[in-house]
Amino acid sequence: MAALKEKRTCGQRCEDFGHFVWDSDEGKFMGRTPEKWVYISLYYLSFYAVMTSLFSLAIWTLMYTLDPYTPDYQDRLASPGVMVWPDTYGEEVIEITYNTSDKASWMKMTKILNEFLEPYNDTKQLECNNYNCTKGKYFLQKHFLGPHHTKYSCPFLQSMLGPCSGFEDPTFGYNCSMPCVIIKMNRIINYLPTNRTDVAPYVNCTVLEGEGNVAKIEYFPENGNMDPSYFPYYGRLAQPSYVNPLVAVRFSLVGAKHAKIQCRVVSEKISYENYHDPYEGKVIFSLKELK
């Protein structure tokens, strides 16, 4: 029978480890001489220096080919989405519900609209977007002629929303039965909503449920048009002061004062029948006045 290996004590193990760290007999540190440590350090230093250089070159090449003003790949929809304000979302649909006899209720709606319209203040717009745009034509810009290497943006004034601007009626009609909603079309870089400029995209709202509860629908600006001069959009870097054109819609509620409404942006290049995206080209919301 082979002899059992003698069990080493803790002190002996510590002595062995110390000998491994520094072998004074052969002049080795952790199993290698200082000369070998220099060689292996230089090898790994060179290896990682080359890897870092290749990675940096790859990133530089990628960044050099990218246009900072336009994304190379856009996974957005061919048609823009449409949104409505006040943006009060329920479980499944947008529910704009208010009570004319409860000041806190309709003040909530006016606060949402005032905050949303803050960038559209007439004074602010005329200060940052003072370019005199030609209405009825696309504002095509090949060069960066704006300040700080940017492109010009057309001003959209809050007062253009007429009775729904908050100037004539600070409550936006929510203290009575004539509430205003604001329709906005989302941005898509270099997007033109029509193939011609003689027919501007416009907002059209229809009552899906409760048609007898809506006596009148009014649009501001006139006819609910989104003037072509606000298109195309060139991106946040190229047009830092750009604001979306808006359309305000005022409803005159009667009867039960409750209706389900669809508002779509009508244009030959804007689709609205995408079942996978209910907000493409249109927005559906419920408008209800509580008694």
Side-chain angles (χ1 to χ4, degrees):
M1 175 182 280
L4 294 175
K5 188 175 181 180
E6 181 181 356
K7 186 177 182 180
R8 300 179 66 80
T9 63
C10 180
Q12 290 174 325
R13 291 180 179 179
C14 289
E15 184 179 352
D16 291 343
F17 178 74
H19 187 265
F20 164 74
V21 173
W22 174 246
D23 185 351
S24 58
D25 296 333
E26 298 183 15
K28 293 181 178 180
F29 174 71
M30 298 185 72
R32 289 187 176 91
T33 63
E35 183 181 5
K36 289 185 177 180
W37 275 115
V38 171
Y39 289 151
I40 197 170
S41 298
L42 289 175
Y43 169 79
Y44 280 107
L45 182 63
S46 302
F47 174 77
Y48 285 112
V50 171
M51 294 299 294
T52 303
S53 300
L54 291 175
F55 178 76
S56 301
L57 179 62
I59 294 298
W60 180 85
T61 304
L62 174 64
M63 298 304 296
Y64 183 78
T65 59
L66 293 178
D67 184 350
Y69 296 95
T70 305
D72 287 352
Y73 302 101
Q74 299 186 54
D75 58 354
R76 302 178 184 178
L77 298 173
S79 294
V82 177
M83 301 183 71
V84 62
W85 269 264
D87 53 344
T88 52
Y89 291 85
E91 294 183 0
E92 296 182 358
V93 297
I94 303 172
E95 298 176 346
I96 303 175
T97 304
Y98 67 100
N99 191 335
T100 54
S101 60
D102 182 3
K103 184 177 180 179
S105 174
W106 55 262
M107 280 294 292
K108 175 185 176 182
M109 301 300 170
T110 60
K111 181 181 179 182
I112 293 174
L113 290 174
N114 279 318
E115 290 178 351
F116 173 69
L117 290 174
E118 187 174 348
Y120 293 87
N121 177 271
D122 287 19
T123 303
K124 289 183 179 179
Q125 280 296 299
L126 293 175
E127 286 178 355
C128 61
N129 293 329
N130 54 9
Y131 189 84
N132 187 19
C133 300
T134 303
K135 297 295 182 181
K137 292 184 178 181
Y138 286 136
F139 192 16
L140 302 174
Q141 304 176 72
K142 294 183 179 180
H143 306 290
F144 294 85
L145 302 178
H148 309 295
H149 194 68
T150 60
K151 294 185 178 183
Y152 291 108
S153 299
C154 297
F156 189 96
L157 308 181
Q158 185 174 346
S159 57
M160 294 168 63
L161 300 178
C164 291
S165 64
F167 294 151
E168 299 179 18
D169 179 9
T171 69
F172 296 92
Y174 283 93
N175 66 338
C176 59
S177 299
M178 299 182 68
C180 293
V181 301
I182 296 176
I183 305 299
K184 186 193 81 162
M185 184 171 67
N186 293 340
R187 308 173 185 180
I188 296 181
I189 294 177
N190 294 326
Y191 178 76
L192 298 177
T194 62
N195 292 321
R196 53 185 186 176
T197 57
D198 57 332
V199 180
Y202 64 94
V203 172
N204 180 55
C205 296
T206 55
V207 181
L208 302 180
E209 297 177 10
E211 185 174 356
N213 298 330
V214 180
K216 188 179 181 181
I217 302 177
E218 301 171 274
Y219 301 92
F220 310 95
E222 187 178 3
N223 300 322
N225 288 341
M226 292 183 174
D227 195 85
S229 61
Y230 297 101
F231 305 96
Y233 169 60
Y234 289 104
R236 183 176 297 179
L237 187 61
Q239 291 180 298
S241 59
Y242 179 90
V243 292
N244 300 62
L246 305 175
V247 172
V249 187
R250 183 166 67 176
F251 300 91
S252 298
L253 300 181
V254 295
K257 300 180 179 180
H258 179 204
K260 185 177 181 181
I261 299 165
Q262 172 184 281
C263 291
R264 36 171 309 224
V265 179
V266 182
S267 176
E268 59 188 271
K269 292 174 63 177
I270 299 177
S271 61
Y272 68 99
E273 296 179 331
N274 186 346
Y275 297 102
H276 302 289
D277 187 352
Y279 296 101
E280 181 180 357
K282 69 180 184 303
V283 61
I284 299 174
F285 58 94
S286 175
L287 186 61
K288 184 176 183 180
E289 177 187 328
L290 300 177
K291 298 179 180 179

